[in-house]
Amino acid sequence: MAFLIHLLVCIFGTGSWVAINGLWVELPLLVTELPESWYLPSYLTVIIQLANIGPLLVTLLHHFRPSCLPEVPVIFTIVCVGTVTCALFAFLWNMTSWVLDGHHSIAFMVLTFFLALVDCTSSVTFLPFMSRLPAHYLNTFFVGEGLSGLLPALVALAQGSGLTTCVNITNTPDTTPSPVTNRTTGITQGASSTLVSAFTGTTASTVHLESRYLPANFSPLVFFLLLSFMMACCLVAFFLLQRQPRHWAASTEDLFSSQIILHSIRLQEKQDLGLPGPEGSSKDQGPLEEKTAPLHPVQLTFIYLLVAFVNALTNGVLPSVQTYSCLSYGPVTYHLSATLSSMANPLACFFAMFLPSRSLPFLGVLAVFGTGFGAYNMAMAVMSPCPLLQGHWGGEVLIVASWVLFSGCLSYVKAMLGMILRDRSRSALLWCGAAVQLGSLVGALLMFPLVNVLRLFSSADFCSLQC
């Protein structure tokens, strides 16, 4: 039965961000069909941040009227909305409407807002719900949350989304009497050159390489139906979790018997009344009190700030520049870094289940290491299209390893901070979710003008690099 609950919790966790993560990995196919083209990610960034009105409303209601918003009906509602919206995406994603000066993907943007509303609100509803279960299930939830990024990436990889090849483009001047002005042949490498026209014998033709997207193995319709299926699985898992009354009782006992603050309060009350503790507990009472000691306000502030900072990096700052930091090393390097870093997230949470560390200094140091790897990734993005060791296998290994370690270190930190706050109270988990969304919002708003307005980063076409 315990394995079944772990499985259900993991599936439930995948529903937290699987929809929006799936939307991002499908972008290489969507931008070739929609009128916004590569400006579409900019629109998505703004729409997703507007959807933070959902967690803001839930947090405010929890603070001012704690009992007016039961989380179980809210979770059922948002997961149902996410399932239906993904299904609608499958049939409406390429529908356009004439607005002001041209065609725009209005249906796509409206559906994106509802998906973002579902995923953003999950941060402040799923985590508090997990306080009903024993503490050891929270790490399983974080594993599922990590899989919400990995599973869509694997589906997109099977689909062939974003895979490119180099093609040989021959441009003939307009004055050339050749009836053929463009020729494309798929190749893997080459360089720009000049050809002599076969028609005139003197007119030069320019030959250069460009990247071209390969045809997808299946359409976005199938991809979005798969996303809808994943959300439906999340809904079924949550429904089955509601049908486990024994585990609700076990979780109530866990609140008073494991390493959380309520247990230490009971022990403290006994000491104040002069009552003896349980027999044989004199040797173990010291370590238990040390584990369950209330957090100092400074420690609590540090935890929430670290939660916001880590999520700003992992959800807002670094994802905005991953293509800039990796594509200069080639499409294979980019796909390896994206896929392996997505795998590092659930693996780090799984690792935290067996080797947990609640030491705040250790988690702070680990966050510094993770930030250091993130700084290297950012530096390579700034140096694009000619980063360090470009064209050398060592550079490819370094950038992939840096992304994996960045994701792994900070995912472990996030998982352990969630465990610490879970041991404090249900309310602490809700504020943890609010800090997650606040950090993600700040990170995205910081990077949006740098990437899309000031254009501080230069994209790289691996097929035509000249460094």
Side-chain angles (χ1 to χ4, degrees), residues 225-246:
L225 288 179
L226 288 174
L227 284 186
S228 181
F229 174 75
M230 294 179 193
M231 290 297 297
C233 290
C234 171
L235 180 63
V236 172
F238 180 67
F239 175 77
L240 293 177
L241 285 173
Q242 292 294 301
R243 306 282 293 180
Q244 304 294 324
R246 293 183 180 179

Side-chain angles (χ1 to χ4, degrees), residues 75-97:
I75 293 176
F76 270 120
T77 301
I78 63 175
V79 177
C80 287
V81 170
T83 304
V84 173
T85 304
C86 286
L88 291 176
F89 249 116
F91 303 98
L92 302 177
W93 68 272
N94 57 351
M95 181 179 294
T96 60
S97 304

Side-chain angles (χ1 to χ4, degrees), residues 256-294:
F256 292 93
S257 62
S258 64
Q259 306 167 1
I260 67 172
I261 188 173
L262 292 178
H263 188 73
S264 65
I265 291 175
R266 296 176 80 196
L267 292 176
Q268 186 63 40
E269 288 177 349
K270 288 184 178 181
Q271 292 176 359
D272 292 341
L273 294 174
L275 298 176
E279 294 182 1
S281 63
S282 58
K283 295 182 180 180
D284 299 330
Q285 191 171 353
L288 180 62
E289 288 180 353
E290 182 180 354
K291 290 182 179 180
T292 61

Side-chain angles (χ1 to χ4, degrees), residues 17-36:
W17 283 95
V18 70
I20 289 298
N21 287 332
L23 203 59
W24 281 111
V25 298
E26 190 69 0
L27 274 181
L29 284 182
L30 301 180
V31 296
T32 61
E33 300 288 341
L34 298 180
E36 290 79 10

Side-chain angles (χ1 to χ4, degrees), residues 80-303:
C80 287
V81 170
T83 304
V84 173
T85 304
C86 286
L88 291 176
F89 249 116
F91 303 98
L92 302 177
W93 68 272
N94 57 351
M95 181 179 294
T96 60
S97 304
W98 184 271
V99 178
L100 296 179
D101 57 343
H103 287 281
H104 293 280
S105 308
I106 301 301
F108 182 90
M109 295 180 188
V110 171
L111 292 175
T112 298
F113 175 79
F114 280 101
L115 277 190
L117 189 65
V118 168
D119 289 0
C120 291
T121 308
S122 71
S123 295
V124 293
T125 53
F126 285 19
L127 276 176
F129 170 77
M130 289 304 300
S131 66
R132 300 186 175 203
L133 291 169
H136 57 273
Y137 287 115
L138 187 59
N139 269 335
T140 305
F141 173 81
F142 283 123
V143 171
E145 193 176 57
L147 290 175
S148 70
L150 175 62
L151 292 179
L154 293 178
V155 174
L157 196 60
Q159 182 189 26
S161 175
L163 295 179
T164 61
T165 188
C166 297
V167 295
N168 187 9
I169 304 295
T170 303
N171 294 324
T172 305
D174 294 336
T175 57
T176 304
S178 170
V180 180
T181 58
N182 182 290
R183 182 177 75 252
T184 302
T185 56
I187 58 175
T188 57
Q189 60 183 359
S192 299
S193 61
T194 302
L195 298 179
V196 177
S197 172
F199 293 92
T200 64
T202 57
T203 305
S205 299
T206 304
V207 180
H208 63 280
L209 294 178
E210 289 184 2
S211 296
R212 289 288 185 271
Y213 286 104
L214 296 174
N217 296 322
F218 50 86
S219 67
L221 183 145
V222 177
F223 181 86
F224 285 121
L225 288 179
L226 288 174
L227 284 186
S228 181
F229 174 75
M230 294 179 193
M231 290 297 297
C233 290
C234 171
L235 180 63
V236 172
F238 180 67
F239 175 77
L240 293 177
L241 285 173
Q242 292 294 301
R243 306 282 293 180
Q244 304 294 324
R246 293 183 180 179
H247 290 277
W248 302 146
S251 65
T252 303
E253 294 173 5
D254 181 79
L255 290 175
F256 292 93
S257 62
S258 64
Q259 306 167 1
I260 67 172
I261 188 173
L262 292 178
H263 188 73
S264 65
I265 291 175
R266 296 176 80 196
L267 292 176
Q268 186 63 40
E269 288 177 349
K270 288 184 178 181
Q271 292 176 359
D272 292 341
L273 294 174
L275 298 176
E279 294 182 1
S281 63
S282 58
K283 295 182 180 180
D284 299 330
Q285 191 171 353
L288 180 62
E289 288 180 353
E290 182 180 354
K291 290 182 179 180
T292 61
L295 292 171
H296 191 276
V298 174
Q299 294 176 311
L300 197 59
T301 301
F302 171 76
I303 290 174

Side-chain angles (χ1 to χ4, degrees), residues 376-455:
Y376 177 81
N377 300 336
M378 179 64 72
M380 297 305 101
V382 171
M383 298 173 67
S384 176
C386 298
L388 294 176
L389 299 176
Q390 194 278 328
H392 190 276
W393 65 269
E396 299 172 10
V397 172
L398 280 176
I399 194 65
V400 172
S402 181
W403 273 102
V404 170
L405 292 173
F406 162 76
S407 178
C409 290
L410 297 190
S411 295
Y412 181 90
V413 172
K414 287 193 292 184
M416 292 314 306
L417 292 178
M419 289 294 296
I420 293 173
L421 292 174
R422 189 267 179 218
D423 286 354
R424 180 173 174 83
S425 68
R426 172 190 173 277
S427 179
L429 279 180
L430 186 140
W431 287 107
C432 176
V436 168
Q437 288 305 117
L438 178 62
S440 303
L441 173 63
V442 171
L445 293 181
L446 175 65
M447 295 305 297
F448 180 80
L450 299 180
V451 175
N452 299 283
V453 180
L454 300 178
R455 301 186 183 277

